[in-house]
Amino acid sequence: MFNFNYLRLLLIISIALSTITCTFIQKTKIFFKTSKYLCFYSFIVNITTGIIFCLTFTDIKFPNSLWIGFFSFLGADSIYKSLEGKISSHKDLINKKTITISEDNIINKEDS
């Protein structure tokens, strides 16, 4: 029988790990002149970190820690691609002088 609870546990750990490894990869990718090997580098970092993370902080054994490393590789890659170019810096948010209100949040006097 398929153990959904165990898979959910592995995915939750992978989400936390992918955040850590994504940040690490972003900080260390400056050592690569081209992005040719960046995907392979990301895979190695995620698998290695997944193994070390699981053996250090959880009671998950080696074979399942490989799955966590693989899931975090998929997650870190997806998170990066979905957020690329969409995140503003803190300074830009502070210096922004306009406020945007969605149309759904406007209350008309006629409606009340």
Side-chain angles (χ1 to χ4, degrees):
M1 182 125 227
F2 193 72
N3 192 347
F4 285 107
N5 289 330
Y6 192 65
L7 178 62
R8 186 176 55 178
L9 173 70
L10 294 181
L11 289 173
I12 290 170
I13 294 170
S14 305
I15 291 169
L17 185 64
S18 69
T19 305
I20 296 166
T21 56
C22 186
T23 304
F24 178 78
I25 290 166
Q26 292 303 312
K27 299 280 186 191
T28 59
K29 75 177 183 179
I30 60 172
F31 298 115
F32 293 94
K33 301 292 184 212
T34 64
S35 61
K36 187 177 181 180
Y37 300 107
L38 194 57
C39 187
F40 181 70
Y41 172 68
S42 175
F43 183 75
I44 296 299
V45 167
N46 278 287
I47 294 294
T48 305
T49 309
I51 293 168
I52 294 169
F53 186 86
C54 288
L55 295 177
T56 304
F57 298 111
T58 68
D59 58 348
I60 296 173
K61 302 299 179 206
F62 177 75
N64 292 331
S65 66
L66 290 173
W67 281 109
I68 289 179
F70 180 69
F71 291 154
S72 69
F73 168 71
L74 295 176
D77 192 40
S78 323
I79 291 169
Y80 176 72
K81 286 181 181 176
S82 66
L83 295 178
E84 187 176 33
K86 296 179 183 173
I87 299 176
S88 301
S89 70
H90 184 261
K91 183 178 179 182
D92 291 341
L93 292 174
I94 296 296
N95 292 334
K96 189 175 180 181
K97 301 291 183 195
T98 60
I99 298 174
T100 306
I101 300 173
S102 71
E103 195 172 316
D104 297 336
N105 293 332
I106 297 175
I107 301 172
N108 293 326
K109 289 183 181 180
E110 296 87 33
D111 293 340
S112 40

